[in-house]
């Protein structure tokens, strides 16, 4: 009377584990990338909400505008841009001060987003429409080339 596995039981067990792992590992990888993409999109929405709040505060002061877009060639929200006042005539507030932790959110690779802001006048009504666009331009990001354009 022996205790333990026979060689055949051991081989079958290892084979079953191998099949299960071959299914689970790719699924885990896809889920991980999907979660990273969603987190990056959430970070872009956090920026959008903070900028809308800023727009509203400036509107209440009589000067509605989104934060000025970065002046660098790629329009990235880099460390220089986040530390510069957005509107020195109204307030010395910098973009990073709009966030509770004092940092502008980035993608999961700690790469800054591209940001653009502009306004347009509707010729028929004379109404001014304010736009902002936030994009993930990091080629290594799961949310690469995802962008949002919002208007008020």
């Amino acid at each position: 009377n022996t205790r333990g596995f026979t060689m055949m039981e051991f081989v079958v067990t290892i084979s079953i584990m191998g099949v299960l792992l071959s299914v689970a590992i790719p699924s885990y990888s896809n889920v991980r990338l999907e979660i990273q993409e969603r987190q990056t999109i959430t970070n872009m929405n956090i920026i959008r909400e903070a900028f809308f709040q800023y727009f509203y505060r400036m509107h209440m002061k009589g000067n509605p505008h989104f934060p000025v877009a970065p002046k660098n060639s790629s329009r990235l929200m880099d460390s220089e841009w986040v530390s510069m006042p957005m509107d020195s005539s109204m307030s010395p507030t910098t973009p990073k001060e709009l966030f509770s932790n004092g940092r502008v959110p980035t993608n999961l690779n700690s790469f800054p987003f591209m940001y653009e802001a502009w306004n347009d006048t509707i010729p028929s009504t004379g109404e001014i429409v304010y736009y902002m666009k936030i994009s993930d331009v990091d080629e290594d990001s799961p949310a690469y080339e995802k962008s949002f354009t919002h208007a008020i």
Side-chain angles (χ1 to χ4, degrees):
N1 196 5
T2 61
R3 295 182 187 261
F5 292 109
T6 64
M7 185 57 94
M8 188 54 116
E9 290 170 332
F10 182 69
V11 168
V12 169
T13 302
I14 297 296
S15 299
I16 290 172
M17 288 176 60
V19 168
L20 291 174
L21 283 174
S22 70
V23 171
I25 289 174
S27 296
Y28 171 75
S29 179
N30 290 340
V31 167
R32 187 176 55 84
L33 287 174
E34 196 172 303
I35 289 171
Q36 288 176 344
E37 179 180 354
R38 287 183 187 171
Q39 181 62 49
T40 298
I41 290 170
T42 299
N43 287 351
M44 288 194 289
N45 282 322
I46 289 169
I47 294 169
R48 177 184 58 89
E49 286 299 320
F51 287 4
F52 273 128
Q53 293 298 322
Y54 174 80
F55 180 91
Y56 178 72
R57 283 195 306 274
M58 292 298 104
H59 177 67
M60 297 306 288
K61 291 181 178 182
N63 183 15
H65 65 277
F66 285 117
V68 177
K71 303 281 189 241
N72 56 44
S73 61
S74 54
R75 300 209 176 263
L76 293 178
M77 294 193 239
D78 60 9
S79 59
E80 181 181 334
W81 178 79
V82 301
S83 300
M84 293 180 62
M86 291 181 283
D87 183 0
S88 58
S89 66
M90 298 291 280
S91 158
T93 304
T94 63
K96 66 182 177 183
E97 292 170 354
L98 298 177
F99 301 92
S100 60
N101 63 359
R103 295 182 331 172
V104 176
T106 60
N107 71 11
L108 293 183
N109 297 331
S110 298
F111 194 84
F113 295 112
M114 183 181 82
Y115 169 66
E116 298 174 88
W118 68 96
N119 56 36
D120 227 353
T121 304
I122 299 173
S124 60
T125 63
E127 178 184 6
I128 299 173
V129 180
Y130 299 88
Y131 296 93
M132 76 166 152
K133 181 179 180 180
I134 303 168
S135 307
D136 188 358
V137 293
D138 179 15
E139 293 179 2
D140 296 329
S141 172
Y144 176 59
E145 293 187 334
K146 297 269 185 194
S147 67
F148 299 102
T149 303
H150 302 281
I152 292 182

